[in-house]
Amino acid sequence: MALNKSTYWNLFYQYSSVILSIISGILMAPLYLHYIESSTYAYWLASGNILIWITIIEPGVGITLEQKVAFTAGQNNKTELSKLITSGLILCSIILVASFSISLLIQQSIPVILDLKKWPHTSLLQEAFFWASIGSSLSLCTYSLVGVNQGLQHTAYTGLVYLVSQLVGIVISIYGLIQGWGLLSIGYSRAVTGVLYFVGNGLIFLYALQKDTIRLEYDKHYFKSFYKIFSYTFANKMGITIANNIDLIVVSRFLEPSIITQLELSRRPQNIFSGFVNRTTYALLPSMSHSFGKGDSNSVKTIYIQFLKGFIFISLIISFGFIIFNEALLNFWVGAENYIGDLENVLIVLSIIISSYTYSNSNFSFSAGNIKGNSKVGIYRSILYLVLIFPLTMYFGVVGLLAALIISYLATEFWYYQLDLARVIGLKPSEVWQVVKPNLTPLLLMSCMAFYLHNLRYESLLQVVFVAFLFTVFAVACFYLTVPEIRLQVSIAIQKFKRKAIPDQTLNQ
């Protein structure tokens, strides 16, 4: 599958958004802790999980539109495109009204959900929640517009709008904190971000329709067949949203409020890894669906094998890096009291690696049109997680909570997508093993190094950065010396660089 210009722009903006999230995460967390009272911020994090529950209203319309629009565009069927996009717009409008209505109901229920009857700042939390819910509702509606824009390969402007809206939101949040708005600065910034995201993508949508000469056409029978898809995706979205955002609420009910902040801050740096991986395969979705629409599944298989090689290389280095340095990083970033613990840290690393791997596999499966299968396995995982999280958290604390997450992934999505990829792109177990096998030696060497480095005591952030740099050099050297594929890719990269840096005549001489 040849990556077109649109895909490269999509990759650029997806990675830029992750970098922006990293910067904002590093910058904003200490500011929040400084300007917002600790218990208020802890309960805001928990209520943020409730806010994400509103996204249940969006049953995957955006991502489904992206896949179907890209697939149909690959077939050059503009008649179906017109009906498909119109159906998506109708659902977009319904989502906007429903999400905002439900958010108002949830706002009134926050004191009961979080058990805040005696807490003095409940009204402040509810007001911040209201403004944030406006931005969330607009963003949910915008996902449908983004799906159409991405499916039609108009990704450059879409990514730019996302980055600008996020940057403006960060600026407003910082300004509000300095001006003494407290928790309301977060709510206001979310609202402004949602408005900018909605307006910007609306303009791109109108431009895309005009450029591709697509007229909106409503077909009652087509609309019915289209929204029937979401009987599966809605149940999947509801289960995944509740399951993925119930952990902090469970902690607030069964454990101490301080653990909410510890868990959230301890895993925040590690979400950087999952952000990069998830955005990579998400950026490839339109192009992969386009290739499947043309009937070219072999090129997608080639892309998958290359992705798997890169995933193993990066995930091993990043995961061991966080196992070694996360405690020291948090110590100099937000204070040692916000570190969750060594065992919990290892489990966080494992859960993020496994979830990122299964999410990436689901994108490859989804791009082939396996919407129903993806939805079903997501529902099964969510149910299993919800069954396990309450008893395991009650008896084993945060360790039990993280164990419930890992078990739910391994028992459902992990093996399902391997089987499905064998079906849609002809991926054989022997091909996967050939990719995994050479990485066992670097895994062993890095394990030994991690055991030694984790026991060191660091006196400054500069020392942490220096030792982390040495570990990265050591890890890359392990891969280079033991994995033939790495040496081959480095050799190819050097040859390409020489051809660009040195004129052909000079090389010939």
Side-chain angles (χ1 to χ4, degrees):
M1 179 179 66
L3 301 182
N4 54 28
K5 184 178 179 180
S6 176
T7 303
Y8 283 118
W9 273 112
N10 202 7
L11 283 168
F12 171 75
Y13 283 119
Q14 294 293 340
Y15 289 148
S16 298
S17 66
V18 175
I19 294 173
L20 181 62
S21 298
I22 295 170
I23 296 173
S24 64
I26 294 174
L27 173 66
M28 298 308 296
L31 288 176
Y32 290 150
L33 292 172
H34 177 74
Y35 286 101
I36 300 175
E37 192 267 331
S38 59
S39 64
T40 302
Y41 184 60
Y43 283 123
W44 168 256
L45 292 175
S47 68
N49 277 12
I50 302 173
L51 183 61
I52 296 175
W53 285 4
I54 300 174
T55 61
I56 294 172
I57 301 301
E58 205 284 319
V61 176
I63 190 71
T64 303
L65 272 174
E66 182 174 316
Q67 190 276 329
K68 286 192 167 295
V69 169
F71 190 92
T72 308
Q75 297 176 324
N76 198 28
N77 187 344
K78 289 194 175 182
T79 302
E80 184 173 351
L81 270 177
S82 299
K83 300 175 182 178
L84 177 61
I85 293 173
T86 304
S87 300
L89 284 180
I90 295 173
L91 289 176
C92 169
S93 303
I94 296 173
I95 288 169
L96 177 60
V97 174
S99 60
F100 187 68
S101 301
I102 292 177
S103 66
L104 291 177
L105 296 176
I106 294 178
Q107 178 194 5
Q108 303 301 320
S109 305
I110 286 178
V112 177
I113 296 174
L114 298 180
D115 193 20
L116 303 178
K117 297 176 182 178
K118 298 181 180 180
W119 192 57
H121 306 298
T122 302
S123 59
L124 174 65
L125 180 62
Q126 287 178 296
E127 185 178 354
F129 183 90
F130 169 77
W131 289 106
S133 67
I134 293 177
S136 179
S137 299
L138 287 171
S139 296
L140 289 179
C141 176
T142 308
Y143 292 158
S144 299
L145 301 177
V146 173
V148 175
N149 294 338
Q150 298 274 48
L152 293 175
Q153 310 297 299
H154 296 285
T155 57
Y157 296 123
T158 302
L160 182 60
V161 166
Y162 176 81
L163 291 179
V164 170
S165 61
Q166 293 295 320
L167 280 171
V168 173
I170 293 172
V171 171
I172 290 176
S173 185
I174 295 174
Y175 176 80
L177 290 171
I178 296 174
Q179 292 298 315
W181 298 352
L183 196 60
L184 290 177
S185 63
I186 304 177
Y188 293 156
S189 68
R190 298 278 182 90
V192 173
T193 298
V195 171
L196 292 176
Y197 194 45
F198 175 77
V199 173
N201 277 283
L203 294 175
I204 296 169
F205 173 77
L206 296 176
Y207 166 77
L209 293 184
Q210 183 179 12
K211 185 176 184 299
D212 296 329
T213 62
I214 299 173
R215 295 182 177 180
L216 299 179
E217 179 183 347
Y218 174 70
D219 186 311
K220 181 178 179 180
H221 297 290
Y222 188 90
F223 178 73
K224 286 183 178 180
S225 64
F226 180 68
Y227 75 69
K228 282 182 180 179
I229 298 173
F230 302 108
S231 61
Y232 292 98
T233 59
F234 176 76
N236 177 38
K237 184 68 177 291
M238 179 174 64
I240 289 178
T241 302
I242 294 176
N244 288 355
N245 298 282
I246 200 173
D247 51 1
L248 296 185
I249 297 173
V250 172
V251 171
S252 70
R253 299 289 296 190
F254 297 116
L255 305 176
E256 298 178 3
S258 60
I259 299 180
I260 298 175
T261 307
Q262 289 179 352
L263 177 59
E264 179 62 22
L265 293 179
S266 292
R267 67 186 177 187
R268 183 172 295 180
Q270 303 183 41
N271 285 325
I272 296 169
F273 166 78
S274 62
F276 274 108
V277 174
N278 296 349
R279 297 288 180 137
T280 299
T281 54
Y282 181 80
L284 293 173
L285 260 176
S287 295
M288 290 190 296
S289 297
H290 202 267
S291 295
F292 278 118
K294 293 179 178 179
D296 185 14
S297 59
N298 289 331
S299 59
V300 179
K301 179 180 179 180
T302 302
I303 292 294
Y304 178 79
I305 292 176
Q306 292 301 319
F307 156 77
L308 185 59
K309 292 176 181 178
F311 178 85
I312 294 174
F313 172 74
I314 295 174
S315 64
L316 285 178
I317 295 177
I318 295 296
S319 60
F320 276 108
F322 280 120
I323 290 173
I324 298 170
F325 302 109
N326 200 34
E327 180 180 5
L329 176 64
L330 287 168
N331 181 31
F332 295 107
W333 177 39
V334 290
E337 69 277 4
N338 290 305
Y339 179 63
I340 194 69
D342 289 343
L343 176 58
E344 292 85 349
N345 186 48
V346 172
L347 291 176
I348 289 173
V349 170
L350 289 176
S351 65
I352 290 176
I353 294 295
I354 293 171
S355 64
S356 296
Y357 178 68
T358 57
Y359 176 82
S360 299
N361 284 346
S362 73
N363 281 339
F364 281 94
S365 175
F366 191 91
S367 65
N370 184 23
I371 299 173
K372 184 184 294 187
N374 279 30
S375 299
K376 285 184 176 180
V377 73
I379 294 170
Y380 298 149
R381 183 191 71 80
S382 301
I383 292 174
L384 180 59
Y385 179 58
L386 291 173
V387 168
L388 294 175
I389 186 173
F390 290 97
L392 291 182
T393 303
M394 287 178 62
Y395 289 104
F396 302 103
V398 177
V399 171
L401 183 147
L402 296 170
L405 181 62
I406 294 172
I407 293 171
S408 66
Y409 272 110
L410 292 178
T412 54
E413 294 185 1
F414 187 84
W415 62 268
Y416 170 80
Y417 287 121
Q418 292 300 134
L419 296 177
D420 192 57
L421 288 173
R423 178 184 63 84
V424 297
I425 61 175
L427 184 68
K428 300 177 182 178
S430 59
E431 293 174 311
V432 177
W433 175 244
Q434 288 301 316
V435 175
V436 174
K437 183 179 177 180
N439 297 281
L440 297 179
T441 301
L443 172 63
L444 177 62
L445 294 175
M446 282 191 288
S447 298
C448 297
M449 181 61 70
F451 181 78
Y452 169 74
L453 293 178
H454 181 66
N455 293 321
L456 295 179
R457 290 293 173 262
Y458 302 95
E459 302 297 330
S460 65
L461 182 60
L462 180 63
Q463 186 181 6
V464 176
V465 173
F466 178 71
V467 177
F469 172 76
L470 294 180
F471 169 77
T472 304
V473 172
F474 169 79
V476 172
C478 289
F479 277 101
Y480 182 80
L481 295 174
T482 59
V483 182
E485 175 72 16
I486 298 293
R487 295 196 295 274
L488 176 62
Q489 293 300 327
V490 171
S491 177
I492 293 174
I494 292 174
Q495 292 299 320
K496 288 182 177 180
F497 174 77
K498 287 182 177 180
R499 292 192 187 100
K500 292 181 178 180
I502 305 174
D504 293 340
Q505 293 181 354
T506 305
L507 285 174
N508 292 333
Q509 291 175 1

PDB file of all heavy atoms in Angstrom, residues 441-466:
ATOM      1  N   THR A 441      16.481 -12.001  22.718  1.00  0.00           N
ATOM      2  CA  THR A 441      17.781 -11.681  23.325  1.00  0.00           C
ATOM      3  C   THR A 441      17.820 -10.250  23.858  1.00  0.00           C
ATOM      4  O   THR A 441      18.236 -10.027  25.008  1.00  0.00           O
ATOM      5  CB  THR A 441      18.919 -11.906  22.307  1.00  0.00           C
ATOM      6  OG1 THR A 441      18.917 -13.270  21.874  1.00  0.00           O
ATOM      7  CG2 THR A 441      20.275 -11.585  22.938  1.00  0.00           C
ATOM      8  N   PRO A 442      17.409  -9.243  23.092  1.00  0.00           N
ATOM      9  CA  PRO A 442      17.348  -7.885  23.670  1.00  0.00           C
ATOM     10  C   PRO A 442      16.441  -7.804  24.891  1.00  0.00           C
ATOM     11  O   PRO A 442      16.732  -7.062  25.826  1.00  0.00           O
ATOM     12  CB  PRO A 442      16.792  -7.036  22.517  1.00  0.00           C
ATOM     13  CG  PRO A 442      17.151  -7.774  21.285  1.00  0.00           C
ATOM     14  CD  PRO A 442      17.094  -9.234  21.650  1.00  0.00           C
ATOM     15  N   LEU A 443      15.353  -8.579  24.894  1.00  0.00           N
ATOM     16  CA  LEU A 443      14.447  -8.598  26.045  1.00  0.00           C
ATOM     17  C   LEU A 443      15.175  -9.066  27.302  1.00  0.00           C
ATOM     18  O   LEU A 443      15.045  -8.453  28.371  1.00  0.00           O
ATOM     19  CB  LEU A 443      13.263  -9.517  25.747  1.00  0.00           C
ATOM     20  CG  LEU A 443      12.315  -9.805  26.918  1.00  0.00           C
ATOM     21  CD1 LEU A 443      11.648  -8.513  27.392  1.00  0.00           C
ATOM     22  CD2 LEU A 443      11.261 -10.829  26.518  1.00  0.00           C
ATOM     23  N   LEU A 444      15.960 -10.122  27.191  1.00  0.00           N
ATOM     24  CA  LEU A 444      16.708 -10.650  28.335  1.00  0.00           C
ATOM     25  C   LEU A 444      17.757  -9.653  28.823  1.00  0.00           C
ATOM     26  O   LEU A 444      17.891  -9.403  30.029  1.00  0.00           O
ATOM     27  CB  LEU A 444      17.365 -11.976  27.962  1.00  0.00           C
ATOM     28  CG  LEU A 444      18.239 -12.639  29.025  1.00  0.00           C
ATOM     29  CD1 LEU A 444      17.396 -12.976  30.255  1.00  0.00           C
ATOM     30  CD2 LEU A 444      18.905 -13.899  28.478  1.00  0.00           C
ATOM     31  N   LEU A 445      18.501  -9.049  27.880  1.00  0.00           N
ATOM     32  CA  LEU A 445      19.563  -8.106  28.256  1.00  0.00           C
ATOM     33  C   LEU A 445      18.995  -6.860  28.931  1.00  0.00           C
ATOM     34  O   LEU A 445      19.534  -6.377  29.930  1.00  0.00           O
ATOM     35  CB  LEU A 445      20.368  -7.719  27.011  1.00  0.00           C
ATOM     36  CG  LEU A 445      21.187  -8.836  26.354  1.00  0.00           C
ATOM     37  CD1 LEU A 445      21.825  -8.345  25.056  1.00  0.00           C
ATOM     38  CD2 LEU A 445      22.269  -9.337  27.305  1.00  0.00           C
ATOM     39  N   MET A 446      17.888  -6.340  28.412  1.00  0.00           N
ATOM     40  CA  MET A 446      17.286  -5.151  29.006  1.00  0.00           C
ATOM     41  C   MET A 446      16.674  -5.454  30.373  1.00  0.00           C
ATOM     42  O   MET A 446      16.626  -4.590  31.243  1.00  0.00           O
ATOM     43  CB  MET A 446      16.235  -4.565  28.061  1.00  0.00           C
ATOM     44  CG  MET A 446      16.849  -3.775  26.912  1.00  0.00           C
ATOM     45  SD  MET A 446      15.611  -2.826  25.974  1.00  0.00           S
ATOM     46  CE  MET A 446      14.774  -4.159  25.131  1.00  0.00           C
ATOM     47  N   SER A 447      16.191  -6.681  30.571  1.00  0.00           N
ATOM     48  CA  SER A 447      15.655  -7.066  31.876  1.00  0.00           C
ATOM     49  C   SER A 447      16.748  -7.001  32.942  1.00  0.00           C
ATOM     50  O   SER A 447      16.523  -6.505  34.052  1.00  0.00           O
ATOM     51  CB  SER A 447      15.062  -8.476  31.806  1.00  0.00           C
ATOM     52  OG  SER A 447      13.996  -8.541  30.892  1.00  0.00           O
ATOM     53  N   CYS A 448      17.926  -7.503  32.600  1.00  0.00           N
ATOM     54  CA  CYS A 448      19.051  -7.460  33.544  1.00  0.00           C
ATOM     55  C   CYS A 448      19.459  -6.009  33.838  1.00  0.00           C
ATOM     56  O   CYS A 448      19.710  -5.641  34.989  1.00  0.00           O
ATOM     57  CB  CYS A 448      20.239  -8.237  32.981  1.00  0.00           C
ATOM     58  SG  CYS A 448      19.919 -10.002  32.741  1.00  0.00           S
ATOM     59  N   MET A 449      19.523  -5.190  32.793  1.00  0.00           N
ATOM     60  CA  MET A 449      19.907  -3.793  32.975  1.00  0.00           C
ATOM     61  C   MET A 449      18.854  -3.038  33.790  1.00  0.00           C
ATOM     62  O   MET A 449      19.195  -2.200  34.632  1.00  0.00           O
ATOM     63  CB  MET A 449      20.093  -3.129  31.612  1.00  0.00           C
ATOM     64  CG  MET A 449      20.508  -1.668  31.667  1.00  0.00           C
ATOM     65  SD  MET A 449      22.102  -1.401  32.513  1.00  0.00           S
ATOM     66  CE  MET A 449      23.232  -2.106  31.308  1.00  0.00           C
ATOM     67  N   ALA A 450      17.588  -3.346  33.573  1.00  0.00           N
ATOM     68  CA  ALA A 450      16.515  -2.669  34.296  1.00  0.00           C
ATOM     69  C   ALA A 450      16.587  -2.977  35.787  1.00  0.00           C
ATOM     70  O   ALA A 450      16.359  -2.095  36.623  1.00  0.00           O
ATOM     71  CB  ALA A 450      15.160  -3.101  33.731  1.00  0.00           C
ATOM     72  N   PHE A 451      16.899  -4.209  36.139  1.00  0.00           N
ATOM     73  CA  PHE A 451      17.004  -4.588  37.551  1.00  0.00           C
ATOM     74  C   PHE A 451      18.097  -3.794  38.257  1.00  0.00           C
ATOM     75  O   PHE A 451      17.933  -3.380  39.410  1.00  0.00           O
ATOM     76  CB  PHE A 451      17.293  -6.085  37.657  1.00  0.00           C
ATOM     77  CG  PHE A 451      17.400  -6.572  39.073  1.00  0.00           C
ATOM     78  CD1 PHE A 451      16.260  -6.798  39.827  1.00  0.00           C
ATOM     79  CD2 PHE A 451      18.643  -6.790  39.658  1.00  0.00           C
ATOM     80  CE1 PHE A 451      16.361  -7.235  41.143  1.00  0.00           C
ATOM     81  CE2 PHE A 451      18.748  -7.218  40.964  1.00  0.00           C
ATOM     82  CZ  PHE A 451      17.599  -7.453  41.708  1.00  0.00           C
ATOM     83  N   TYR A 452      19.187  -3.532  37.553  1.00  0.00           N
ATOM     84  CA  TYR A 452      20.291  -2.781  38.151  1.00  0.00           C
ATOM     85  C   TYR A 452      19.966  -1.289  38.254  1.00  0.00           C
ATOM     86  O   TYR A 452      20.134  -0.669  39.311  1.00  0.00           O
ATOM     87  CB  TYR A 452      21.564  -2.984  37.310  1.00  0.00           C
ATOM     88  CG  TYR A 452      22.689  -2.048  37.681  1.00  0.00           C
ATOM     89  CD1 TYR A 452      23.414  -2.224  38.856  1.00  0.00           C
ATOM     90  CD2 TYR A 452      23.020  -0.964  36.856  1.00  0.00           C
ATOM     91  CE1 TYR A 452      24.436  -1.360  39.206  1.00  0.00           C
ATOM     92  CE2 TYR A 452      24.042  -0.097  37.189  1.00  0.00           C
ATOM     93  CZ  TYR A 452      24.751  -0.294  38.370  1.00  0.00           C
ATOM     94  OH  TYR A 452      25.759   0.566  38.711  1.00  0.00           O
ATOM     95  N   LEU A 453      19.467  -0.698  37.154  1.00  0.00           N
ATOM     96  CA  LEU A 453      19.252   0.746  37.126  1.00  0.00           C
ATOM     97  C   LEU A 453      18.115   1.189  38.029  1.00  0.00           C
ATOM     98  O   LEU A 453      18.128   2.319  38.548  1.00  0.00           O
ATOM     99  CB  LEU A 453      18.979   1.215  35.686  1.00  0.00           C
ATOM    100  CG  LEU A 453      20.137   1.093  34.696  1.00  0.00           C
ATOM    101  CD1 LEU A 453      19.696   1.540  33.309  1.00  0.00           C
ATOM    102  CD2 LEU A 453      21.340   1.910  35.165  1.00  0.00           C
ATOM    103  N   HIS A 454      17.134   0.334  38.240  1.00  0.00           N
ATOM    104  CA  HIS A 454      15.979   0.736  39.046  1.00  0.00           C
ATOM    105  C   HIS A 454      16.360   0.953  40.510  1.00  0.00           C
ATOM    106  O   HIS A 454      15.706   1.710  41.228  1.00  0.00           O
ATOM    107  CB  HIS A 454      14.879  -0.326  38.961  1.00  0.00           C
ATOM    108  CG  HIS A 454      13.655   0.030  39.756  1.00  0.00           C
ATOM    109  ND1 HIS A 454      12.845   1.105  39.431  1.00  0.00           N
ATOM    110  CD2 HIS A 454      13.102  -0.526  40.866  1.00  0.00           C
ATOM    111  CE1 HIS A 454      11.853   1.175  40.287  1.00  0.00           C
ATOM    112  NE2 HIS A 454      11.982   0.212  41.181  1.00  0.00           N
ATOM    113  N   ASN A 455      17.418   0.297  40.956  1.00  0.00           N
ATOM    114  CA  ASN A 455      17.836   0.409  42.357  1.00  0.00           C
ATOM    115  C   ASN A 455      18.735   1.616  42.611  1.00  0.00           C
ATOM    116  O   ASN A 455      19.141   1.852  43.752  1.00  0.00           O
ATOM    117  CB  ASN A 455      18.563  -0.878  42.786  1.00  0.00           C
ATOM    118  CG  ASN A 455      17.629  -2.068  42.826  1.00  0.00           C
ATOM    119  OD1 ASN A 455      16.473  -1.958  43.235  1.00  0.00           O
ATOM    120  ND2 ASN A 455      18.107  -3.222  42.374  1.00  0.00           N
ATOM    121  N   LEU A 456      19.072   2.360  41.581  1.00  0.00           N
ATOM    122  CA  LEU A 456      19.899   3.548  41.770  1.00  0.00           C
ATOM    123  C   LEU A 456      19.074   4.674  42.383  1.00  0.00           C
ATOM    124  O   LEU A 456      17.848   4.714  42.238  1.00  0.00           O
ATOM    125  CB  LEU A 456      20.488   4.014  40.429  1.00  0.00           C
ATOM    126  CG  LEU A 456      21.486   3.075  39.742  1.00  0.00           C
ATOM    127  CD1 LEU A 456      21.943   3.690  38.414  1.00  0.00           C
ATOM    128  CD2 LEU A 456      22.689   2.804  40.635  1.00  0.00           C
ATOM    129  N   ARG A 457      19.720   5.597  43.043  1.00  0.00           N
ATOM    130  CA  ARG A 457      19.062   6.770  43.603  1.00  0.00           C
ATOM    131  C   ARG A 457      19.547   8.007  42.838  1.00  0.00           C
ATOM    132  O   ARG A 457      20.747   8.226  42.709  1.00  0.00           O
ATOM    133  CB  ARG A 457      19.367   6.910  45.102  1.00  0.00           C
ATOM    134  CG  ARG A 457      18.685   5.848  45.930  1.00  0.00           C
ATOM    135  CD  ARG A 457      17.168   6.022  45.907  1.00  0.00           C
ATOM    136  NE  ARG A 457      16.479   4.921  46.570  1.00  0.00           N
ATOM    137  CZ  ARG A 457      15.951   3.889  45.951  1.00  0.00           C
ATOM    138  NH1 ARG A 457      16.053   3.796  44.629  1.00  0.00           N
ATOM    139  NH2 ARG A 457      15.332   2.938  46.620  1.00  0.00           N
ATOM    140  N   TYR A 458      18.605   8.790  42.368  1.00  0.00           N
ATOM    141  CA  TYR A 458      18.940   9.929  41.507  1.00  0.00           C
ATOM    142  C   TYR A 458      18.815  11.226  42.290  1.00  0.00           C
ATOM    143  O   TYR A 458      17.821  11.456  42.971  1.00  0.00           O
ATOM    144  CB  TYR A 458      18.017   9.938  40.280  1.00  0.00           C
ATOM    145  CG  TYR A 458      18.099   8.654  39.476  1.00  0.00           C
ATOM    146  CD1 TYR A 458      17.186   7.622  39.696  1.00  0.00           C
ATOM    147  CD2 TYR A 458      19.091   8.479  38.521  1.00  0.00           C
ATOM    148  CE1 TYR A 458      17.263   6.440  38.975  1.00  0.00           C
ATOM    149  CE2 TYR A 458      19.174   7.308  37.787  1.00  0.00           C
ATOM    150  CZ  TYR A 458      18.260   6.296  38.025  1.00  0.00           C
ATOM    151  OH  TYR A 458      18.349   5.119  37.313  1.00  0.00           O
ATOM    152  N   GLU A 459      19.841  12.088  42.136  1.00  0.00           N
ATOM    153  CA  GLU A 459      19.897  13.320  42.895  1.00  0.00           C
ATOM    154  C   GLU A 459      19.294  14.515  42.162  1.00  0.00           C
ATOM    155  O   GLU A 459      18.979  15.533  42.769  1.00  0.00           O
ATOM    156  CB  GLU A 459      21.361  13.647  43.243  1.00  0.00           C
ATOM    157  CG  GLU A 459      22.059  12.554  44.043  1.00  0.00           C
ATOM    158  CD  GLU A 459      21.405  12.328  45.395  1.00  0.00           C
ATOM    159  OE1 GLU A 459      20.851  13.317  45.947  1.00  0.00           O
ATOM    160  OE2 GLU A 459      21.435  11.191  45.893  1.00  0.00           O
ATOM    161  N   SER A 460      19.138  14.396  40.848  1.00  0.00           N
ATOM    162  CA  SER A 460      18.594  15.516  40.073  1.00  0.00           C
ATOM    163  C   SER A 460      17.913  14.983  38.817  1.00  0.00           C
ATOM    164  O   SER A 460      18.155  13.842  38.396  1.00  0.00           O
ATOM    165  CB  SER A 460      19.704  16.501  39.678  1.00  0.00           C
ATOM    166  OG  SER A 460      20.612  15.883  38.790  1.00  0.00           O
ATOM    167  N   LEU A 461      17.078  15.838  38.223  1.00  0.00           N
ATOM    168  CA  LEU A 461      16.405  15.461  36.979  1.00  0.00           C
ATOM    169  C   LEU A 461      17.411  15.299  35.851  1.00  0.00           C
ATOM    170  O   LEU A 461      17.248  14.428  34.976  1.00  0.00           O
ATOM    171  CB  LEU A 461      15.368  16.534  36.607  1.00  0.00           C
ATOM    172  CG  LEU A 461      14.539  16.270  35.348  1.00  0.00           C
ATOM    173  CD1 LEU A 461      13.745  14.982  35.474  1.00  0.00           C
ATOM    174  CD2 LEU A 461      13.610  17.443  35.074  1.00  0.00           C
ATOM    175  N   LEU A 462      18.467  16.101  35.863  1.00  0.00           N
ATOM    176  CA  LEU A 462      19.510  15.988  34.844  1.00  0.00           C
ATOM    177  C   LEU A 462      20.170  14.613  34.890  1.00  0.00           C
ATOM    178  O   LEU A 462      20.468  14.011  33.851  1.00  0.00           O
ATOM    179  CB  LEU A 462      20.563  17.087  35.047  1.00  0.00           C
ATOM    180  CG  LEU A 462      21.718  17.102  34.044  1.00  0.00           C
ATOM    181  CD1 LEU A 462      21.183  17.365  32.639  1.00  0.00           C
ATOM    182  CD2 LEU A 462      22.739  18.172  34.429  1.00  0.00           C
ATOM    183  N   GLN A 463      20.387  14.092  36.102  1.00  0.00           N
ATOM    184  CA  GLN A 463      20.974  12.760  36.242  1.00  0.00           C
ATOM    185  C   GLN A 463      20.023  11.692  35.688  1.00  0.00           C
ATOM    186  O   GLN A 463      20.457  10.744  35.042  1.00  0.00           O
ATOM    187  CB  GLN A 463      21.273  12.476  37.715  1.00  0.00           C
ATOM    188  CG  GLN A 463      22.014  11.160  37.930  1.00  0.00           C
ATOM    189  CD  GLN A 463      22.283  10.890  39.411  1.00  0.00           C
ATOM    190  OE1 GLN A 463      21.811  11.629  40.273  1.00  0.00           O
ATOM    191  NE2 GLN A 463      23.022   9.845  39.698  1.00  0.00           N
ATOM    192  N   VAL A 464      18.720  11.851  35.921  1.00  0.00           N
ATOM    193  CA  VAL A 464      17.740  10.910  35.381  1.00  0.00           C
ATOM    194  C   VAL A 464      17.791  10.905  33.855  1.00  0.00           C
ATOM    195  O   VAL A 464      17.812   9.848  33.211  1.00  0.00           O
ATOM    196  CB  VAL A 464      16.313  11.271  35.856  1.00  0.00           C
ATOM    197  CG1 VAL A 464      15.284  10.351  35.204  1.00  0.00           C
ATOM    198  CG2 VAL A 464      16.224  11.170  37.368  1.00  0.00           C
ATOM    199  N   VAL A 465      17.826  12.104  33.264  1.00  0.00           N
ATOM    200  CA  VAL A 465      17.865  12.221  31.804  1.00  0.00           C
ATOM    201  C   VAL A 465      19.142  11.591  31.247  1.00  0.00           C
ATOM    202  O   VAL A 465      19.113  10.884  30.226  1.00  0.00           O
ATOM    203  CB  VAL A 465      17.760  13.705  31.384  1.00  0.00           C
ATOM    204  CG1 VAL A 465      17.971  13.854  29.879  1.00  0.00           C
ATOM    205  CG2 VAL A 465      16.404  14.270  31.785  1.00  0.00           C
ATOM    206  N   PHE A 466      20.251  11.811  31.911  1.00  0.00           N
ATOM    207  CA  PHE A 466      21.532  11.276  31.431  1.00  0.00           C
ATOM    208  C   PHE A 466      21.548   9.744  31.473  1.00  0.00           C
ATOM    209  O   PHE A 466      21.944   9.090  30.504  1.00  0.00           O
ATOM    210  CB  PHE A 466      22.677  11.838  32.282  1.00  0.00           C
ATOM    211  CG  PHE A 466      24.038  11.304  31.901  1.00  0.00           C
ATOM    212  CD1 PHE A 466      24.635  11.684  30.715  1.00  0.00           C
ATOM    213  CD2 PHE A 466      24.705  10.404  32.729  1.00  0.00           C
ATOM    214  CE1 PHE A 466      25.879  11.193  30.350  1.00  0.00           C
ATOM    215  CE2 PHE A 466      25.950   9.905  32.380  1.00  0.00           C
ATOM    216  CZ  PHE A 466      26.537  10.297  31.184  1.00  0.00           C
TER     217      PHE A 466
END
